[in-house]
Structure formats: structure tokens, C-alpha cells
Amino acid sequence: MNKRFLGVLAFATIVATIASLLLYRLLINRPTAKAAMSSVQIVLAARDIEIGTVLKEEDVKMTDWPGAVPIGASTKVQDVTGRGVMTPIYAKEPIIDSRLAPKGAGGGLAAMIPQGMRAAAVRVNEVVGVAGFVVPGMHVDVLISGNRPGGSAALGTLSKTLLQNLEVLSAGQDFKKDAEGKPIAVQVVNLLVTPEQAEMLSLAASQTQIQLILRNPLDREVSKTPGAALANLFSGEKLKEPAPPAAPRPRSAPPAPVAKAEPPPKKEAFTMEIISGTKKSEMKFTSGEGK
């Protein structure tokens, strides 16, 4: 092998080794910059909190939260204590302002009612309450059954969907499950309604039988149904809405009185005596004769 080539190869190896050692020492002595993740303290739930609970200091805790503060999260315990919970909050979950009632509104059911709405209580049983599956947050329709005032007796009992897509605020004071995991029937269901719907629901509860129909909360479509009658269940026909009463015919004006023609004036008669010598005669005339 050529000695000159061996010399060049040895020189290149030495240069590469020295360069590697210098680069290694440079990287070892380089200060490492550790990015410190910023954190902030926010208010978290110390336990699972149910709807209607008025928050106390023992219900919440301050904890470091990495990164940005969640939208609506509270950074002071004083901002959340004394306010009612409108939606369930789970342990270690940030306390969001939109999930709490306004300050001074208190807790319980009243704090969950939006402005302009009402909570209407409906007494139910196991069947009416959809076997206990009507729980807060569900949406239901209200079905009524009874006899239509002034309706035909041949139709029998009528059934009609009165109100649709009503939110359930509460179902009884407690909702629990038995040992078998089956829901317990409730006695009172509070529905979120408008003032006009509250009037209709109050009248229906006192004059008809009410049943709640469970629906998908995502289904907001309002269905138009004619209702059902007992007679139609056997005939298979659909109930037809009664035709609106015909407008009364306007009374015809009485005939104008016919003016009676005045009778012609009676012609007055008069007698003329004619004396000719010893003869005497009479002639009768009427007024206007000879004209």
C-alpha cells in the first residue's frame, strides 16, 4: 500500500477525532433551557355536586390548573359560594359561572327557572311518569284524555297531544335506584313551561287525565296530530277535526212598505130645479162634469 495514502488517511482520522471531541464538549457544556409550564389556581369541585345545591366553602377547593384558564372558570372561592347549582358538577371539575345561578337567587328548583318561564308541577303515577324514567333534563310531551265539550257522544273518549317538547326540571324529591338497578316511581314531575302553557296544563290536570310521553331530547320537531277517539280505534278511521260552524246568514232587510194610492176624491153631486111655466123638473150634476 502506498505510504503517502496511509499518511493522508491517518491525518484525516486524527482531524475527525479532534473535531468530534470538540463538538461533544460543546454540547455537554451547553446550558439546558427547561420550559417551565405556567399554571394558575382556579376553583374546582371537591366532590360530586347535585342540582339545586347551594355551594359552601367545603364543596370547592383551589387547585393549580396548567395552561390557560377555562372560559367562565372562577379564580376566587368567594365568587361561587352561596350560589345555587343549575347542572350537575362532578368532582375535580372546574366551577363554570354559566352552571351556577345568579348571586342572590339561592338554590333549589327556583334557581333553575330561566327568566320568563315557569315550573308547573304535575302529579303522576308509575304509568303516567313513564315507569320512573322521567328524570331531570329529559323532554316529554303531555297527552290528555277526556270528553270534548259539546262533542259527539258517539266518538267516546278522545285523546290529544296538548303540549310538546317540555323539559323536566325535577322528578320527585329524590331519584334513586333499588338493589336491582330499577328506577323508583316518582309522584310529582315539574315541567318547564311558559305562562300560557302553565294555564293550559293546570286546566288539563283538573279536567282530564294526563300522561307524559318520553321523547328524544335531540328531537325538537313539533308534530301535528288530529288526535284519537275511542270509536276510531275500532273502525280504523282517523279522527277528523270538526268543521268550523258556518257563519250565520245575514238577515234580509224587510221589504220597503208600498205606498198606497190615495183614493180619488169623491165627486160632489148637486141638483138643479128647472121651472118652465107650470112644469117643474130636476136635473142632477156632479162636480167637474162638463169640463
Side-chain angles (χ1 to χ4, degrees), residues 32-147:
T32 57
K34 296 182 179 179
M37 183 177 294
S38 61
S39 62
V40 65
Q41 284 198 334
I42 63 173
V43 182
L44 301 183
R47 60 180 181 85
D48 293 344
I49 305 175
E50 298 179 355
I51 297 177
T53 303
V54 178
L55 291 179
K56 301 178 182 179
E57 291 187 2
E58 55 267 24
D59 297 328
V60 298
K61 62 180 180 180
M62 296 292 297
T63 306
D64 290 335
W65 184 267
V69 179
I71 299 177
S74 300
T75 57
K76 296 181 180 179
V77 176
Q78 296 79 2
D79 294 341
V80 299
T81 53
R83 299 175 64 179
V85 177
M86 299 177 58
T87 59
I89 303 176
Y90 300 98
K92 299 182 180 180
E93 186 178 359
I95 305 296
I96 306 300
D97 185 76
S98 60
R99 303 175 70 176
L100 303 178
K103 292 183 178 181
L109 182 63
M112 301 165 54
I113 304 175
Q115 186 174 0
M117 303 294 287
R118 305 290 185 269
V122 178
R123 187 177 298 275
V124 298
N125 53 32
E126 185 175 358
V127 176
V128 176
V130 197
F133 285 99
V134 175
V135 296
M138 294 293 184
H139 286 245
V140 296
D141 294 345
V142 178
L143 198 68
I144 59 173
S145 299
N147 296 321

Side-chain angles (χ1 to χ4, degrees), residues 1 13 21 25 64 68 82 121 139 175 184 202-203 228 233 249 277:
M1 183 176 292
T13 303
L21 290 174
R25 291 177 62 88
D64 290 335
H139 286 245
F175 178 78
I184 300 175
S202 175
L203 185 61
L233 296 181
R249 294 182 178 179

Side-chain angles (χ1 to χ4, degrees), residues 117-187:
M117 303 294 287
R118 305 290 185 269
V122 178
R123 187 177 298 275
V124 298
N125 53 32
E126 185 175 358
V127 176
V128 176
V130 197
F133 285 99
V134 175
V135 296
M138 294 293 184
H139 286 245
V140 296
D141 294 345
V142 178
L143 198 68
I144 59 173
S145 299
N147 296 321
R148 176 187 294 166
S152 174
L155 291 176
T157 304
L158 302 179
S159 180
K160 177 70 175 177
T161 300
L162 178 65
L163 301 172
Q164 298 186 40
N165 196 30
L166 300 182
E167 181 181 354
V168 178
L169 290 179
S170 66
Q173 297 182 354
D174 294 314
F175 178 78
K176 299 179 180 179
K177 294 183 179 181
D178 57 15
E180 298 179 1
K182 297 181 179 179
I184 300 175
V186 297
Q187 298 299 322

Side-chain angles (χ1 to χ4, degrees), residues 148 155 158-161 224-228 232 238-244:
R148 176 187 294 166
L155 291 176
L158 302 179
S159 180
K160 177 70 175 177
T161 300
K224 295 182 179 181
T225 60
N232 297 121
K238 292 185 178 180
L239 180 65
K240 296 181 180 180
E241 291 290 341

